[in-house]
Amino acid sequence: MKHVFLPFGLDGVERAPLEVAAHLAERFDGRAVAMFYPRPVESPLVDPMGVGIIDYADQGPDLAREADTALAAMRARIQGLSSGADRVTLNEQPLKARFGIGEQARLFDLTVVGKADETDWRAVFETALFEGGRPVMLVPVGWTRPCGDTVGVAWNRSTETARLIGQSLPLLRAAKKALVIEIEGWSIPGPDGAALAEYLKGHGVPAEAVTAPRTMRGPGLDVLDQAEAHGVDLLLKGAYTQSRLRQMIFGGATSDIIADATMPVVFAH
């Protein structure tokens, strides 16, 4: 995880998870790059798949003023970091539109997005997730401390989760402990959690597996219960094994974990 991407908007400079990005860059002897993205235009269009916002219009002088304000605020935050400031680079060239987040994310090992009530974090998260092709870390509101000493894997044996594990091996190897979490009745055909734990041990990861009963609350919340009970401070989850549209209508494990996780979660689709 040597190249960490931190997109931020004008309304979210103070809530962007800068400390987390700086810690990751410091931990893996890499760099975090913070880059400004503009607010969407007044009449955004939803793309045909319902994945993100198309905002192609260049806002001209307004964009330049917003960018200058946001860059100055982020520059001050970086200078005020208690540690890791030397690992963070502020890209002075702002993105022209928010869809550029997905394009930039393709050249980073991880994109870090913070949740916040007042900002468009969900659109930023989904743009990076679906368009970037790389893992995306979603950080809860107020989380500024390091993470990754105890890593949990929400294992439902899916292709999405298998892909994420391959992309996240540096995070797993750096952990003091890894916990493979399975929920009874929540899986597709494939190797079980014990087999995944053995695979991870072969990569030098101190892993163990746990299987918990499924409750009426749903597998996503069951996973979070196990993660919290075992002190997990970073969770890995394959995103939208079921379709995003279906989860928007009926709910699902990904949606529940996005909504209720109290620790940072790394997703990949």
Side-chain angles (χ1 to χ4, degrees):
M1 299 293 169
K2 288 184 174 293
H3 302 282
V4 179
F5 181 35
L6 179 66
F8 66 94
L10 179 62
D11 297 333
V13 174
E14 294 305 317
R15 290 176 294 276
L18 175 62
E19 293 85 359
V20 175
H23 162 71
L24 289 167
E26 193 171 33
R27 185 169 193 173
F28 293 100
D29 192 24
R31 298 211 64 80
V33 178
M35 184 175 291
F36 169 78
Y37 66 85
R39 291 179 293 185
V41 295
E42 291 184 2
S43 300
L45 300 174
V46 179
D47 72 23
M49 297 299 292
V51 172
I53 304 293
I54 302 174
D55 54 352
Y56 288 96
D58 187 339
Q59 300 173 54
D62 290 339
L63 172 59
R65 283 192 293 270
E66 286 188 4
D68 287 344
T69 300
L71 288 169
M74 182 56 77
R75 193 177 298 113
R77 277 201 65 194
I78 293 171
Q79 292 171 352
L81 283 173
S82 58
S83 66
D86 59 331
R87 294 287 182 176
V88 182
T89 298
L90 179 61
N91 191 319
E92 300 287 345
Q93 184 63 42
L95 298 169
K96 296 298 184 183
R98 194 171 59 195
F99 69 86
I101 292 169
E103 297 173 358
Q104 291 294 324
R106 296 167 194 166
L107 292 182
F108 287 88
D109 300 314
L110 183 71
T111 297
V112 181
V113 177
K115 290 179 63 176
D117 295 334
E118 299 84 358
T119 64
D120 53 353
W121 63 267
R122 184 175 291 273
V124 173
F125 166 72
E126 292 188 349
T127 298
L129 181 71
F130 287 102
E131 301 298 328
R134 298 294 187 94
V136 182
M137 177 185 286
L138 190 60
V139 180
V141 176
W143 185 290
T144 59
R145 62 187 186 274
C147 59
D149 282 346
T150 303
V151 177
V153 180
W155 181 238
N156 62 350
R157 313 179 189 182
S158 69
T159 303
E160 289 82 4
T161 308
R163 183 180 299 120
L164 173 59
I165 290 167
Q167 293 174 318
S168 302
L169 279 174
L171 289 171
L172 287 158
R173 289 196 191 101
K176 296 177 181 177
K177 177 182 177 182
L179 186 73
V180 178
I181 303 171
E182 283 197 292
I183 304 300
E184 292 176 354
W186 178 61
S187 67
I188 61 174
D192 64 13
L196 175 57
E198 287 302 313
Y199 165 82
L200 292 175
K201 289 176 183 176
H203 282 276
V205 179
E208 63 182 72
V210 61
T211 301
R214 182 167 179 170
T215 72
M216 295 298 293
R217 301 175 70 222
L221 297 180
D222 293 338
V223 166
L224 291 179
D225 286 345
Q226 291 298 312
E228 291 170 3
H230 288 84
V232 168
D233 62 3
L234 179 63
L235 183 65
L236 306 183
K237 170 72 175 75
Y240 298 116
T241 301
Q242 298 178 6
S243 75
R244 175 182 177 276
L245 180 60
R246 177 183 175 84
Q247 292 215 25
M248 287 177 62
I249 298 171
F250 299 107
T254 300
S255 296
D256 286 344
I257 290 174
I258 287 173
D260 293 323
T262 57
M263 75 289 292
V265 184
V266 178
F267 296 90
H269 179 69

